[in-house]
């Protein structure tokens, strides 16, 4: 074992031991603190990755189960440890990878990518805006950002870097890294800009309605976030271009080359048409059938048809290691994050945080509540789980504060849901998919998540607090 690997192995263990040595905070059950110590060690392990992330996740749930940190009986502990693999988003992510395989196997992804290059490929920045516009057009109609960004956009755009010789690994920074982060960061913006672009948005408003007896319309949601949302939508490809620049910036002649490559590919094949039809079928069901068919069920149904019609083979499905690796990795993290809620740690954390703010000026309470709610997503592997676990607690806390602008705080808290989807590789379905592409390495992902996370939160507080205060008083 080399020195770096040894250090990266010892640091998570040291974090675990040090936290276990810290006295249990007042008001928190000891078992909840012990579980948090293990969870923190797992997260540090994921950042340093002395071994593959999937192994770290499996080790985490195995230790928690063996030590019975969750549940009182072995059967309860085992049920919790495996609960992540019954999560619908996990399987939607898995099928999104298979959609990408279908685009690749049939050649449809390459054909669409070549057409995008032909139209906008003179500059890499132009391709970044093409990715953003694709998400913006679908955003208002698709409540699942995993289906939209991961299942529809990602399988297409992952073909573009390969055209320019940019593959996961050493050549990723040529173009692929830039396009992948642009796709994820744009997804974060559109997920907050449109009420119907992110399922937790709708859940959040339902919780706001029940807790605060306040209703927020689609129009109010959009107009309330529009100044910041439109600004970010227009600038994210450029910001990414400056912060995480591609090595290939100008691709003069790429449009002519793409046209030649399309000629070489010849006419559209039957398999391509079939894949396009199935993708369109899934898209239409995701948009219009949400009331009676879950997005994951739609995806699985289309995957079965893909296999039956020969778009991909069963052997292709079983051999797609990247998809199975992501299934295990994200499935374990969802269970681990849910353990924080089950153990009572999150409820204690939220209650302690709100209690510390008593006596502060209203504006500072608003800023701190929103900031903490946003940043605590580092402890979650699901946007929906985050809203379900903590939003009611935070909303209940603000009710107790006299003269608190309840609607303003509620909207700010709900807006953070979409914006936080790129904080970590496990923050959401789209983040897991883009991270799993191999184009954004571990260090870069955590670094970019922190940079864009601070940027998005800072702008949310600096722009939206004064604007929403004015908007709500005049609407």
């Amino acid at each position: 074992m080399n020195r770096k690997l040894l250090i990266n192995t010892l640091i998570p263990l040291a974090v675990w031991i040090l936290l276990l040595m810290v006295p249990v905070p007042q008001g928190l059950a000891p078992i909840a603190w012990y579980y948090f110590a293990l969870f923190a060690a797992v997260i540090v392990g994921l950042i340093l990755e002395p071994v593959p992330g999937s192994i770290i996740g499996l080790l985490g749930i195995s230790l928690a189960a063996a030590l019975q940190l969750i549940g009182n009986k072995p059967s309860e502990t085992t049920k919790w440890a495996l609960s992540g693999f019954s999560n619908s988003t996990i399987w939607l992510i898995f099928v999104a990878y298979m959609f990408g395989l279908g685009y690749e196997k049939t050649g449809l992804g390459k054909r669409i990518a070549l057409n995008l290059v032909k139209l906008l490929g003179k500059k890499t920045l132009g391709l970044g805006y093409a990715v953003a516009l694709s998400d913006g057009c679908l955003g208002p109609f698709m409540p699942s950002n995993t289906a939209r960004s991961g299942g529809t956009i990602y399988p297409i755009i992952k073909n573009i870097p390969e055209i320019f010789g940019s593959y996961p690994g050493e050549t990723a920074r040529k173009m692929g890294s830039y396009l992948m982060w642009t796709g994820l960061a744009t997804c974060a913006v559109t997920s907050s800009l449109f009420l119907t672009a992110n399922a937790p948005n709708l859940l959040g408003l339902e919780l706001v309605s029940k807790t605060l007896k306040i209703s927020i319309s689609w129009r109010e949601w959009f107009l309330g976030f529009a100044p910041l949302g439109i600004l970010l939508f227009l600038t994210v490809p450029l910001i990414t271009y400056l912060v995480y620049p591609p090595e290939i910036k100008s691709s003069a002649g790429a449009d002519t080359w793409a046209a030649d490559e399309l000629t070489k590919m010849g006419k559209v094949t039957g398999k391509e048409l079939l894949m396009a039809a199935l993708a369109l079928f899934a898209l239409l069901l995701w948009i219009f059938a949400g009331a009676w068919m879950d997005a994951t069920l739609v995806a699985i149904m289309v995957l079965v048809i893909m296999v039956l019609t020969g778009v991909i083979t069963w052997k292709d499905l079983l051999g797609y290691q990247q998809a199975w690796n992501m299934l295990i990795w994200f499935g374990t993290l969802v269970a681990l994050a849910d353990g924080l809620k089950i153990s009572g740690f999150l409820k204690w954390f939220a209650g302690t945080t709100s209690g510390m703010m008593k006596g502060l000026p209203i504006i500072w309470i608003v800023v701190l509540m929103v900031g903490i709610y946003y940043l605590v997503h580092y402890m979650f592997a699901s946007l929906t789980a985050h809203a379900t676990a903590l939003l009611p607690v935070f909303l209940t806390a603000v009710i107790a504060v006299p003269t608190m602008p309840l609607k303003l705080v509620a909207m700010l808290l709900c807006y953070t849901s979409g914006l936080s989807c790129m904080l970590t590789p496990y923050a959401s379905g789209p983040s897991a998919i883009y991270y799993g592409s191999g184009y954004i390495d571990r260090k870069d992902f955590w670094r970019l998540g922190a940079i864009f996370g601070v940027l998005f939160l800072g702008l949310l507080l600096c722009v939206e607090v004064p604007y929403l205060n004015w908007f709500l008083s005049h609407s």
Side-chain angles (χ1 to χ4, degrees), residues 39-349:
F39 180 85
V42 169
I43 297 304
V44 174
L46 290 174
I47 295 173
L48 299 176
E49 246 183 25
V51 295
S54 296
I55 295 297
I56 294 172
L58 286 171
L59 180 61
I61 60 171
S62 298
L63 283 172
L67 297 171
Q68 289 199 322
L69 299 179
I70 300 292
N72 298 317
K73 301 176 182 178
S75 59
E76 293 177 0
T77 300
T78 302
K79 184 178 180 181
W80 161 78
L82 298 176
S83 63
F85 298 102
S86 64
N87 183 282
S88 62
T89 301
I90 304 300
W91 288 98
L92 186 55
I93 294 171
F94 177 79
V95 177
Y97 276 94
M98 295 304 164
F99 277 23
L101 184 61
Y103 278 94
E104 180 183 335
K105 293 281 289 185
T106 61
L108 177 62
K110 183 178 180 181
R111 188 179 296 276
I112 295 174
L114 284 169
N115 276 292
L116 283 173
V117 172
K118 181 180 175 182
L119 292 172
L120 298 164
K122 291 183 179 180
K123 299 286 185 182
T124 302
L125 183 60
L127 291 173
Y129 276 98
V131 172
L133 287 170
S134 300
D135 199 307
C137 290
L138 295 175
F141 311 105
M142 295 182 69
S144 170
N145 58 12
T146 303
R148 179 178 75 254
S149 189
T152 304
I153 296 172
Y154 166 76
I156 295 173
I157 67 171
K158 83 180 189 72
N159 292 273
I160 297 177
E162 297 176 2
I163 295 172
F164 295 90
S166 179
Y167 296 89
E170 293 182 1
T171 58
R173 288 299 301 273
K174 283 186 176 181
M175 181 181 288
S177 302
Y178 165 73
L179 292 182
M180 294 302 156
W181 187 262
T182 298
L184 178 57
T186 301
C187 176
V189 175
T190 57
S191 294
S192 287
L193 181 58
F194 305 110
L195 173 61
T196 46
N198 186 28
N201 295 346
L202 301 166
L203 170 64
L205 291 199
E206 178 66 19
L207 294 172
V208 168
S209 176
K210 288 181 178 179
T211 308
L212 302 182
K213 311 302 180 186
I214 290 174
S215 61
I216 300 168
S217 67
W218 198 101
R219 174 182 171 277
E220 278 185 308
W221 177 285
F222 177 77
L223 292 178
F225 193 70
L228 177 57
I230 294 173
L231 172 66
L232 289 176
F233 182 78
L234 294 175
T235 57
V236 157
L238 178 60
I239 294 171
T240 306
Y241 189 84
L242 297 173
V243 174
Y244 197 45
E247 294 174 4
I248 299 175
K249 296 180 171 62
S250 177
S251 48
D255 51 345
T256 305
W257 171 82
D260 291 339
E261 289 295 308
L262 284 167
T263 302
K264 291 178 184 178
M265 287 188 72
K267 294 182 179 179
V268 178
T269 65
K271 286 285 182 71
E272 287 181 76
L273 289 173
L274 180 57
M275 183 65 221
L278 290 174
L280 180 62
F281 177 60
L283 182 61
L284 290 174
L285 289 179
W286 281 334
I287 294 173
F288 299 110
W292 56 276
M293 187 175 289
D294 183 77
T296 303
L297 179 60
V298 170
I300 292 174
M301 180 176 65
V302 173
L303 174 60
V304 171
I305 298 173
M306 285 170 63
V307 175
L308 293 176
T309 56
V311 171
I312 62 172
T313 66
W314 183 245
K315 188 176 181 181
D316 292 331
L317 188 151
L318 292 177
Y320 198 5
Q321 296 180 11
Q322 194 177 29
W324 291 107
N325 178 63
M326 189 55 58
L327 179 74
I328 295 171
W329 179 75
F330 207 59
T332 56
L333 288 178
V334 166
L336 285 166
D338 194 43
L340 290 172
K341 176 184 176 183
I342 296 172
S343 68
F345 178 84
L346 290 178
K347 186 175 182 180
W348 167 83
F349 177 83

